[in-house]
Amino acid sequence: MEKLNLKPQLVFDFFMQICEIPHGSKNEAQISEFLQNFGKGLGYETIADAVGNVLIKKPATPGFENRKTIILQSHMDMVCDKRPDVEHDFTKDPIRPYVDVEWLKAQGTTLGADNGIGVAAAMAVLADKELKHGPVNCLFTIDEETGLTGAEALAPELLQGDILVNLDSEDEGEIFIGCAGGVCNYADFKHMWTKISGDLFFMKVDINSLTGGHSGDDINKNRANANKLLARFLLRIAAKYEFYLCDINGGSLHNAIPRDASAVFAVQAADKEAVRVDFNLFAAEVQDEFSVTEPAARFTLQSTDPVPRAIEPEAAKRLLSALHAVFNGVFAMSQDVPGLVETSSNLASVKRTSESVIMVTTSQRSSIESARDNVSSVVRTAFELAGADVTTKGLYPGWKPNMKSEILKVACDTYKELFGAEAKIKAIHAGLECGLFLEKAPHLDMISFGPTMRGVHSPDERLDIASTERWWQHLKAILEQAPLK
């Protein structure tokens, strides 16, 4: 792969190496082995646990042995998403980064800067022999994006240190000291099939090219949810015409706002032109409602090949009604931190999992445990009222802010020294692994920070190059001025 002449060179060189290795969630074996070999090749103590988490321990620079041990933590997996027209196999094809003015992007896929740039920065700390720092332990975890299972399985003994610096935030100049906890609800809608015949006309509706984004960071940005829009249109048609739902599919990942959704349905041939008119009116309505946040949205309705069966009408109505009614978006704003989303829910995906089951996946987040459980119950109840079998799992804790943190003071002081400006102290609505680490090691003093990224969890993901250089300078300064033991 062509080398990128970007600063910080060492960080970007390692990032390009990471892009060559498949490392989607649940597929981290190669990247885990790569990191283990990297640590051993440098001559540092390297530990891998049973699930593939990796710890590499770098001794203190001479004269800095009296500093507290810092754990630099990042996750090695990435969200795998691509544009519909892009051919890419995330299990074997490399990510292809390119420079677009001030941004680093990927060719039609997610870039994986979340959190590959964090991994690359930790590797640079390990490899750079000119840095000044106390003891540094670099911890790389698996499967952050689809359940935090690496952090959950991590043995407390691997959290060897006094301070943990998480490298998985997305706004340079902002230091995060708290995050939301979360949980997922999986609703199985079981159904029978009904044979259909007669003078029917079959159509396929596609809603795609929505903005999408991260279901935590972007949930308050008034972006459209493709699954919600699809259910809204189909229910409108079902209320006016003889209607048969033959297939439905939307979204992909529990932590991404769905950008695409589609369905195949049938109506009486005599109604097809009226349906087209209704669709055009619907598309115009939605484009007007989301004119600012969804400028690239595409709505298409076209004829498709006939099929001999459809979902039993009552089951189809229950499914579509549940999708339309279930809560999606910001549930509550924080009463303590202005502008911070406290509680939310994302209608993430609608997928057929067997011949007679369609599964709807949702994720709920909150910085307050009781509020998280409440919104989860609200969503679960809506699906149960519609007759679905609902499973709740994947619960993970939040991270309560500590304004008296020693490492927070160091991070704020060094930022001002470097850039002559005050760093912003924030909490984030996204889930970080920090909550799980704090459960296992309550003594840890923690912060999270990173370079500026936009469009994460989507093919629009991009990394601000200049912010990466500032972030790297800040990281080096924090390591050099780490608190004394």
Side-chain angles (χ1 to χ4, degrees), residues 67-106:
R67 305 280 175 169
K68 289 186 175 181
T69 299
I70 291 181
I71 303 168
L72 291 183
Q73 187 270 325
S74 51
H75 65 84
M76 62 182 84
D77 64 313
M78 66 173 284
V79 168
C80 297
D81 197 10
K82 63 182 184 66
R83 302 193 190 285
D85 60 339
V86 171
E87 293 291 330
H88 189 92
D89 185 344
F90 284 98
T91 66
K92 61 182 181 182
D93 296 337
I95 303 299
R96 296 293 184 186
Y98 70 96
V99 175
D100 182 5
V101 193
E102 73 268 30
W103 298 97
L104 188 67
K105 302 178 179 179

mmCIF file of all heavy atoms in Angstrom, residues 67-106:
data_model
loop_
_atom_site.group_PDB
_atom_site.id
_atom_site.type_symbol
_atom_site.label_atom_id
_atom_site.label_comp_id
_atom_site.label_asym_id
_atom_site.label_seq_id
_atom_site.Cartn_x
_atom_site.Cartn_y
_atom_site.Cartn_z
ATOM 1 N N ARG A 67 7.247 7.894 38.209
ATOM 2 C CA ARG A 67 5.927 8.290 37.705
ATOM 3 C C ARG A 67 4.930 7.135 37.856
ATOM 4 O O ARG A 67 5.310 5.961 37.828
ATOM 5 C CB ARG A 67 6.009 8.674 36.227
ATOM 6 C CG ARG A 67 7.030 9.750 35.925
ATOM 7 C CD ARG A 67 6.510 11.129 36.254
ATOM 8 N NE ARG A 67 7.536 12.170 36.067
ATOM 9 C CZ ARG A 67 7.279 13.454 36.093
ATOM 10 N NH1 ARG A 67 6.049 13.885 36.294
ATOM 11 N NH2 ARG A 67 8.254 14.338 35.936
ATOM 12 N N LYS A 68 3.674 7.491 37.984
ATOM 13 C CA LYS A 68 2.641 6.465 38.049
ATOM 14 C C LYS A 68 2.532 5.734 36.704
ATOM 15 O O LYS A 68 2.762 6.323 35.649
ATOM 16 C CB LYS A 68 1.285 7.082 38.417
ATOM 17 C CG LYS A 68 1.202 7.548 39.858
ATOM 18 C CD LYS A 68 -0.208 8.010 40.213
ATOM 19 C CE LYS A 68 -0.294 8.360 41.699
ATOM 20 N NZ LYS A 68 -1.665 8.792 42.096
ATOM 21 N N THR A 69 2.180 4.460 36.776
ATOM 22 C CA THR A 69 2.034 3.657 35.562
ATOM 23 C C THR A 69 0.757 4.047 34.824
ATOM 24 O O THR A 69 -0.330 4.101 35.404
ATOM 25 C CB THR A 69 1.991 2.156 35.898
ATOM 26 O OG1 THR A 69 3.223 1.796 36.533
ATOM 27 C CG2 THR A 69 1.793 1.320 34.637
ATOM 28 N N ILE A 70 0.909 4.332 33.536
ATOM 29 C CA ILE A 70 -0.228 4.689 32.692
ATOM 30 C C ILE A 70 -0.555 3.531 31.759
ATOM 31 O O ILE A 70 0.331 2.985 31.088
ATOM 32 C CB ILE A 70 0.048 5.956 31.864
ATOM 33 C CG1 ILE A 70 0.118 7.187 32.790
ATOM 34 C CG2 ILE A 70 -1.008 6.165 30.785
ATOM 35 C CD1 ILE A 70 0.366 8.499 32.059
ATOM 36 N N ILE A 71 -1.825 3.156 31.716
ATOM 37 C CA ILE A 71 -2.324 2.193 30.738
ATOM 38 C C ILE A 71 -2.887 2.978 29.562
ATOM 39 O O ILE A 71 -3.830 3.756 29.720
ATOM 40 C CB ILE A 71 -3.429 1.303 31.333
ATOM 41 C CG1 ILE A 71 -2.931 0.570 32.586
ATOM 42 C CG2 ILE A 71 -3.951 0.298 30.301
ATOM 43 C CD1 ILE A 71 -4.057 -0.091 33.386
ATOM 44 N N LEU A 72 -2.296 2.803 28.387
ATOM 45 C CA LEU A 72 -2.855 3.373 27.161
ATOM 46 C C LEU A 72 -3.757 2.314 26.541
ATOM 47 O O LEU A 72 -3.287 1.233 26.169
ATOM 48 C CB LEU A 72 -1.753 3.760 26.177
ATOM 49 C CG LEU A 72 -0.847 4.937 26.548
ATOM 50 C CD1 LEU A 72 0.125 5.209 25.411
ATOM 51 C CD2 LEU A 72 -1.664 6.191 26.856
ATOM 52 N N GLN A 73 -5.034 2.598 26.423
ATOM 53 C CA GLN A 73 -5.986 1.563 25.998
ATOM 54 C C GLN A 73 -6.704 1.951 24.715
ATOM 55 O O GLN A 73 -7.153 3.085 24.552
ATOM 56 C CB GLN A 73 -7.005 1.305 27.114
ATOM 57 C CG GLN A 73 -7.932 0.136 26.835
ATOM 58 C CD GLN A 73 -9.200 0.539 26.098
ATOM 59 O OE1 GLN A 73 -9.719 1.631 26.347
ATOM 60 N NE2 GLN A 73 -9.688 -0.313 25.209
ATOM 61 N N SER A 74 -6.796 0.999 23.805
ATOM 62 C CA SER A 74 -7.530 1.180 22.557
ATOM 63 C C SER A 74 -8.114 -0.170 22.153
ATOM 64 O O SER A 74 -7.655 -1.214 22.622
ATOM 65 C CB SER A 74 -6.609 1.725 21.460
ATOM 66 O OG SER A 74 -5.433 0.940 21.360
ATOM 67 N N HIS A 75 -9.109 -0.155 21.285
ATOM 68 C CA HIS A 75 -9.662 -1.444 20.830
ATOM 69 C C HIS A 75 -9.232 -1.714 19.398
ATOM 70 O O HIS A 75 -9.152 -0.813 18.567
ATOM 71 C CB HIS A 75 -11.184 -1.490 20.987
ATOM 72 C CG HIS A 75 -11.968 -0.538 20.156
ATOM 73 N ND1 HIS A 75 -12.334 -0.796 18.845
ATOM 74 C CD2 HIS A 75 -12.498 0.681 20.440
ATOM 75 C CE1 HIS A 75 -13.053 0.215 18.375
ATOM 76 N NE2 HIS A 75 -13.160 1.128 19.314
ATOM 77 N N MET A 76 -8.975 -2.982 19.109
ATOM 78 C CA MET A 76 -8.381 -3.355 17.831
ATOM 79 C C MET A 76 -9.403 -3.657 16.739
ATOM 80 O O MET A 76 -9.037 -3.797 15.580
ATOM 81 C CB MET A 76 -7.435 -4.548 18.018
ATOM 82 C CG MET A 76 -8.098 -5.814 18.522
ATOM 83 S SD MET A 76 -6.907 -7.171 18.770
ATOM 84 C CE MET A 76 -6.270 -6.816 20.407
ATOM 85 N N ASP A 77 -10.684 -3.757 17.080
ATOM 86 C CA ASP A 77 -11.692 -4.064 16.053
ATOM 87 C C ASP A 77 -12.261 -2.789 15.449
ATOM 88 O O ASP A 77 -12.155 -1.701 16.021
ATOM 89 C CB ASP A 77 -12.819 -4.917 16.631
ATOM 90 C CG ASP A 77 -13.603 -4.196 17.724
ATOM 91 O OD1 ASP A 77 -12.951 -3.597 18.614
ATOM 92 O OD2 ASP A 77 -14.845 -4.233 17.711
ATOM 93 N N MET A 78 -12.870 -2.930 14.278
ATOM 94 C CA MET A 78 -13.492 -1.813 13.589
ATOM 95 C C MET A 78 -14.896 -2.209 13.123
ATOM 96 O O MET A 78 -15.214 -3.379 12.954
ATOM 97 C CB MET A 78 -12.660 -1.379 12.378
ATOM 98 C CG MET A 78 -12.587 -2.412 11.260
ATOM 99 S SD MET A 78 -11.770 -1.797 9.749
ATOM 100 C CE MET A 78 -13.073 -0.759 9.053
ATOM 101 N N VAL A 79 -15.730 -1.199 12.922
ATOM 102 C CA VAL A 79 -17.043 -1.406 12.309
ATOM 103 C C VAL A 79 -16.847 -1.603 10.807
ATOM 104 O O VAL A 79 -16.135 -0.843 10.163
ATOM 105 C CB VAL A 79 -17.963 -0.197 12.567
ATOM 106 C CG1 VAL A 79 -19.210 -0.270 11.697
ATOM 107 C CG2 VAL A 79 -18.350 -0.143 14.042
ATOM 108 N N CYS A 80 -17.463 -2.632 10.260
ATOM 109 C CA CYS A 80 -17.332 -2.942 8.832
ATOM 110 C C CYS A 80 -18.617 -2.543 8.109
ATOM 111 O O CYS A 80 -19.649 -3.194 8.259
ATOM 112 C CB CYS A 80 -17.065 -4.431 8.630
ATOM 113 S SG CYS A 80 -15.507 -4.990 9.346
ATOM 114 N N ASP A 81 -18.536 -1.471 7.349
ATOM 115 C CA ASP A 81 -19.692 -1.029 6.575
ATOM 116 C C ASP A 81 -19.171 -0.456 5.260
ATOM 117 O O ASP A 81 -18.059 0.066 5.191
ATOM 118 C CB ASP A 81 -20.476 0.031 7.351
ATOM 119 C CG ASP A 81 -21.879 0.230 6.797
ATOM 120 O OD1 ASP A 81 -22.314 -0.571 5.953
ATOM 121 O OD2 ASP A 81 -22.545 1.197 7.217
ATOM 122 N N LYS A 82 -19.989 -0.576 4.212
ATOM 123 C CA LYS A 82 -19.579 -0.107 2.896
ATOM 124 C C LYS A 82 -20.788 0.428 2.145
ATOM 125 O O LYS A 82 -21.939 0.148 2.489
ATOM 126 C CB LYS A 82 -18.931 -1.234 2.090
ATOM 127 C CG LYS A 82 -19.847 -2.395 1.772
ATOM 128 C CD LYS A 82 -19.112 -3.489 1.025
ATOM 129 C CE LYS A 82 -20.039 -4.623 0.616
ATOM 130 N NZ LYS A 82 -21.045 -4.198 -0.398
ATOM 131 N N ARG A 83 -20.498 1.166 1.105
ATOM 132 C CA ARG A 83 -21.575 1.645 0.258
ATOM 133 C C ARG A 83 -22.151 0.472 -0.533
ATOM 134 O O ARG A 83 -21.428 -0.468 -0.873
ATOM 135 C CB ARG A 83 -21.068 2.730 -0.693
ATOM 136 C CG ARG A 83 -20.466 3.922 0.044
ATOM 137 C CD ARG A 83 -20.270 5.109 -0.878
ATOM 138 N NE ARG A 83 -19.486 6.138 -0.202
ATOM 139 C CZ ARG A 83 -19.939 6.946 0.740
ATOM 140 N NH1 ARG A 83 -21.203 6.845 1.112
ATOM 141 N NH2 ARG A 83 -19.166 7.843 1.315
ATOM 142 N N PRO A 84 -23.447 0.512 -0.843
ATOM 143 C CA PRO A 84 -24.078 -0.633 -1.525
ATOM 144 C C PRO A 84 -23.428 -1.014 -2.852
ATOM 145 O O PRO A 84 -23.433 -2.185 -3.232
ATOM 146 C CB PRO A 84 -25.523 -0.152 -1.743
ATOM 147 C CG PRO A 84 -25.748 0.878 -0.683
ATOM 148 C CD PRO A 84 -24.425 1.561 -0.495
ATOM 149 N N ASP A 85 -22.842 -0.044 -3.547
ATOM 150 C CA ASP A 85 -22.262 -0.324 -4.855
ATOM 151 C C ASP A 85 -20.785 -0.705 -4.797
ATOM 152 O O ASP A 85 -20.138 -0.876 -5.840
ATOM 153 C CB ASP A 85 -22.429 0.892 -5.766
ATOM 154 C CG ASP A 85 -21.751 2.144 -5.208
ATOM 155 O OD1 ASP A 85 -21.505 2.191 -3.987
ATOM 156 O OD2 ASP A 85 -21.475 3.071 -5.994
ATOM 157 N N VAL A 86 -20.238 -0.861 -3.597
ATOM 158 C CA VAL A 86 -18.814 -1.159 -3.429
ATOM 159 C C VAL A 86 -18.610 -2.650 -3.169
ATOM 160 O O VAL A 86 -19.282 -3.238 -2.320
ATOM 161 C CB VAL A 86 -18.210 -0.332 -2.276
ATOM 162 C CG1 VAL A 86 -16.791 -0.792 -1.958
ATOM 163 C CG2 VAL A 86 -18.218 1.144 -2.622
ATOM 164 N N GLU A 87 -17.684 -3.256 -3.924
ATOM 165 C CA GLU A 87 -17.304 -4.650 -3.687
ATOM 166 C C GLU A 87 -16.144 -4.669 -2.698
ATOM 167 O O GLU A 87 -15.062 -4.158 -3.000
ATOM 168 C CB GLU A 87 -16.888 -5.318 -5.004
ATOM 169 C CG GLU A 87 -18.009 -5.496 -6.016
ATOM 170 C CD GLU A 87 -19.029 -6.523 -5.564
ATOM 171 O OE1 GLU A 87 -18.639 -7.470 -4.843
ATOM 172 O OE2 GLU A 87 -20.215 -6.376 -5.911
ATOM 173 N N HIS A 88 -16.389 -5.236 -1.534
ATOM 174 C CA HIS A 88 -15.330 -5.285 -0.520
ATOM 175 C C HIS A 88 -15.616 -6.417 0.446
ATOM 176 O O HIS A 88 -16.722 -6.507 0.993
ATOM 177 C CB HIS A 88 -15.239 -3.960 0.248
ATOM 178 C CG HIS A 88 -14.046 -3.862 1.147
ATOM 179 N ND1 HIS A 88 -12.853 -3.312 0.748
ATOM 180 C CD2 HIS A 88 -13.851 -4.271 2.425
ATOM 181 C CE1 HIS A 88 -11.987 -3.370 1.746
ATOM 182 N NE2 HIS A 88 -12.562 -3.948 2.773
ATOM 183 N N ASP A 89 -14.627 -7.277 0.648
ATOM 184 C CA ASP A 89 -14.734 -8.379 1.604
ATOM 185 C C ASP A 89 -13.889 -8.025 2.821
ATOM 186 O O ASP A 89 -12.657 -8.082 2.771
ATOM 187 C CB ASP A 89 -14.246 -9.682 0.970
ATOM 188 C CG ASP A 89 -14.447 -10.892 1.877
ATOM 189 O OD1 ASP A 89 -14.677 -10.699 3.090
ATOM 190 O OD2 ASP A 89 -14.360 -12.031 1.379
ATOM 191 N N PHE A 90 -14.551 -7.658 3.927
ATOM 192 C CA PHE A 90 -13.823 -7.217 5.110
ATOM 193 C C PHE A 90 -13.027 -8.335 5.771
ATOM 194 O O PHE A 90 -12.191 -8.058 6.634
ATOM 195 C CB PHE A 90 -14.794 -6.602 6.121
ATOM 196 C CG PHE A 90 -15.259 -5.220 5.763
ATOM 197 C CD1 PHE A 90 -16.478 -5.015 5.140
ATOM 198 C CD2 PHE A 90 -14.465 -4.117 6.037
ATOM 199 C CE1 PHE A 90 -16.915 -3.744 4.810
ATOM 200 C CE2 PHE A 90 -14.877 -2.833 5.710
ATOM 201 C CZ PHE A 90 -16.107 -2.644 5.094
ATOM 202 N N THR A 91 -13.269 -9.584 5.394
ATOM 203 C CA THR A 91 -12.511 -10.692 5.991
ATOM 204 C C THR A 91 -11.154 -10.885 5.325
ATOM 205 O O THR A 91 -10.306 -11.601 5.865
ATOM 206 C CB THR A 91 -13.296 -12.002 5.903
ATOM 207 O OG1 THR A 91 -13.448 -12.387 4.528
ATOM 208 C CG2 THR A 91 -14.659 -11.867 6.560
ATOM 209 N N LYS A 92 -10.941 -10.236 4.161
ATOM 210 C CA LYS A 92 -9.648 -10.432 3.504
ATOM 211 C C LYS A 92 -9.115 -9.185 2.781
ATOM 212 O O LYS A 92 -7.909 -9.064 2.572
ATOM 213 C CB LYS A 92 -9.724 -11.592 2.516
ATOM 214 C CG LYS A 92 -10.728 -11.414 1.402
ATOM 215 C CD LYS A 92 -10.757 -12.657 0.496
ATOM 216 C CE LYS A 92 -11.756 -12.485 -0.642
ATOM 217 N NZ LYS A 92 -11.835 -13.692 -1.499
ATOM 218 N N ASP A 93 -9.990 -8.276 2.393
ATOM 219 C CA ASP A 93 -9.533 -7.110 1.639
ATOM 220 C C ASP A 93 -9.016 -6.012 2.557
ATOM 221 O O ASP A 93 -9.615 -5.741 3.604
ATOM 222 C CB ASP A 93 -10.675 -6.537 0.797
ATOM 223 C CG ASP A 93 -11.164 -7.504 -0.264
ATOM 224 O OD1 ASP A 93 -10.386 -8.403 -0.641
ATOM 225 O OD2 ASP A 93 -12.323 -7.363 -0.708
ATOM 226 N N PRO A 94 -7.923 -5.330 2.182
ATOM 227 C CA PRO A 94 -7.425 -4.222 3.000
ATOM 228 C C PRO A 94 -8.302 -2.985 2.850
ATOM 229 O O PRO A 94 -8.996 -2.813 1.844
ATOM 230 C CB PRO A 94 -6.029 -3.966 2.425
ATOM 231 C CG PRO A 94 -6.128 -4.419 1.004
ATOM 232 C CD PRO A 94 -7.071 -5.593 1.012
ATOM 233 N N ILE A 95 -8.288 -2.150 3.876
ATOM 234 C CA ILE A 95 -8.905 -0.831 3.788
ATOM 235 C C ILE A 95 -7.996 0.042 2.926
ATOM 236 O O ILE A 95 -6.772 -0.015 3.041
ATOM 237 C CB ILE A 95 -9.085 -0.211 5.184
ATOM 238 C CG1 ILE A 95 -9.918 -1.143 6.081
ATOM 239 C CG2 ILE A 95 -9.712 1.167 5.095
ATOM 240 C CD1 ILE A 95 -11.314 -1.408 5.580
ATOM 241 N N ARG A 96 -8.600 0.872 2.067
ATOM 242 C CA ARG A 96 -7.818 1.710 1.156
ATOM 243 C C ARG A 96 -7.967 3.189 1.514
ATOM 244 O O ARG A 96 -8.842 3.888 1.022
ATOM 245 C CB ARG A 96 -8.292 1.480 -0.287
ATOM 246 C CG ARG A 96 -8.062 0.054 -0.789
ATOM 247 C CD ARG A 96 -6.579 -0.238 -0.921
ATOM 248 N NE ARG A 96 -6.330 -1.573 -1.485
ATOM 249 C CZ ARG A 96 -5.130 -2.117 -1.601
ATOM 250 N NH1 ARG A 96 -4.059 -1.430 -1.191
ATOM 251 N NH2 ARG A 96 -4.985 -3.313 -2.110
ATOM 252 N N PRO A 97 -7.108 3.702 2.400
ATOM 253 C CA PRO A 97 -7.206 5.117 2.779
ATOM 254 C C PRO A 97 -6.707 6.045 1.667
ATOM 255 O O PRO A 97 -5.866 5.666 0.854
ATOM 256 C CB PRO A 97 -6.299 5.215 4.009
ATOM 257 C CG PRO A 97 -6.035 3.802 4.431
ATOM 258 C CD PRO A 97 -6.104 2.997 3.189
ATOM 259 N N TYR A 98 -7.252 7.237 1.656
ATOM 260 C CA TYR A 98 -6.756 8.269 0.755
ATOM 261 C C TYR A 98 -6.971 9.628 1.415
ATOM 262 O O TYR A 98 -7.806 9.783 2.309
ATOM 263 C CB TYR A 98 -7.455 8.214 -0.607
ATOM 264 C CG TYR A 98 -8.910 8.629 -0.591
ATOM 265 C CD1 TYR A 98 -9.293 9.935 -0.921
ATOM 266 C CD2 TYR A 98 -9.906 7.721 -0.241
ATOM 267 C CE1 TYR A 98 -10.630 10.317 -0.912
ATOM 268 C CE2 TYR A 98 -11.245 8.091 -0.227
ATOM 269 C CZ TYR A 98 -11.602 9.392 -0.561
ATOM 270 O OH TYR A 98 -12.913 9.776 -0.539
ATOM 271 N N VAL A 99 -6.206 10.620 0.964
ATOM 272 C CA VAL A 99 -6.270 11.966 1.526
ATOM 273 C C VAL A 99 -7.214 12.820 0.684
ATOM 274 O O VAL A 99 -7.081 12.892 -0.543
ATOM 275 C CB VAL A 99 -4.877 12.615 1.577
ATOM 276 C CG1 VAL A 99 -4.970 14.063 2.054
ATOM 277 C CG2 VAL A 99 -3.955 11.806 2.488
ATOM 278 N N ASP A 100 -8.181 13.434 1.357
ATOM 279 C CA ASP A 100 -9.100 14.383 0.722
ATOM 280 C C ASP A 100 -8.950 15.715 1.444
ATOM 281 O O ASP A 100 -9.589 15.960 2.463
ATOM 282 C CB ASP A 100 -10.531 13.858 0.801
ATOM 283 C CG ASP A 100 -11.534 14.780 0.111
ATOM 284 O OD1 ASP A 100 -11.097 15.763 -0.508
ATOM 285 O OD2 ASP A 100 -12.751 14.517 0.208
ATOM 286 N N VAL A 101 -8.063 16.550 0.918
ATOM 287 C CA VAL A 101 -7.724 17.853 1.499
ATOM 288 C C VAL A 101 -7.230 17.639 2.945
ATOM 289 O O VAL A 101 -6.144 17.118 3.144
ATOM 290 C CB VAL A 101 -8.904 18.842 1.439
ATOM 291 C CG1 VAL A 101 -8.410 20.263 1.761
ATOM 292 C CG2 VAL A 101 -9.544 18.848 0.043
ATOM 293 N N GLU A 102 -8.044 18.005 3.944
ATOM 294 C CA GLU A 102 -7.578 17.888 5.336
ATOM 295 C C GLU A 102 -8.021 16.603 6.017
ATOM 296 O O GLU A 102 -7.710 16.388 7.187
ATOM 297 C CB GLU A 102 -8.064 19.092 6.155
ATOM 298 C CG GLU A 102 -9.551 19.092 6.475
ATOM 299 C CD GLU A 102 -10.390 19.820 5.460
ATOM 300 O OE1 GLU A 102 -9.991 19.847 4.276
ATOM 301 O OE2 GLU A 102 -11.437 20.387 5.843
ATOM 302 N N TRP A 103 -8.723 15.730 5.271
ATOM 303 C CA TRP A 103 -9.276 14.509 5.872
ATOM 304 C C TRP A 103 -8.621 13.262 5.293
ATOM 305 O O TRP A 103 -8.242 13.221 4.121
ATOM 306 C CB TRP A 103 -10.779 14.430 5.612
ATOM 307 C CG TRP A 103 -11.588 15.531 6.209
ATOM 308 C CD1 TRP A 103 -12.011 16.671 5.575
ATOM 309 C CD2 TRP A 103 -12.071 15.617 7.554
ATOM 310 N NE1 TRP A 103 -12.733 17.457 6.438
ATOM 311 C CE2 TRP A 103 -12.795 16.839 7.661
ATOM 312 C CE3 TRP A 103 -11.987 14.783 8.665
ATOM 313 C CZ2 TRP A 103 -13.404 17.238 8.844
ATOM 314 C CZ3 TRP A 103 -12.597 15.180 9.841
ATOM 315 C CH2 TRP A 103 -13.292 16.387 9.929
ATOM 316 N N LEU A 104 -8.552 12.222 6.125
ATOM 317 C CA LEU A 104 -8.197 10.883 5.655
ATOM 318 C C LEU A 104 -9.479 10.077 5.578
ATOM 319 O O LEU A 104 -10.236 9.995 6.550
ATOM 320 C CB LEU A 104 -7.201 10.216 6.612
ATOM 321 C CG LEU A 104 -6.615 8.880 6.121
ATOM 322 C CD1 LEU A 104 -5.718 9.111 4.911
ATOM 323 C CD2 LEU A 104 -5.817 8.191 7.238
ATOM 324 N N LYS A 105 -9.750 9.503 4.402
ATOM 325 C CA LYS A 105 -10.971 8.738 4.171
ATOM 326 C C LYS A 105 -10.606 7.368 3.609
ATOM 327 O O LYS A 105 -9.431 7.081 3.356
ATOM 328 C CB LYS A 105 -11.890 9.475 3.195
ATOM 329 C CG LYS A 105 -12.305 10.870 3.635
ATOM 330 C CD LYS A 105 -13.186 11.542 2.580
ATOM 331 C CE LYS A 105 -13.633 12.929 3.005
ATOM 332 N NZ LYS A 105 -14.473 13.579 1.946
ATOM 333 N N ALA A 106 -11.622 6.525 3.391
ATOM 334 C CA ALA A 106 -11.413 5.216 2.781
ATOM 335 C C ALA A 106 -12.246 5.102 1.514
ATOM 336 O O ALA A 106 -13.279 5.761 1.370
ATOM 337 C CB ALA A 106 -11.763 4.097 3.761
#
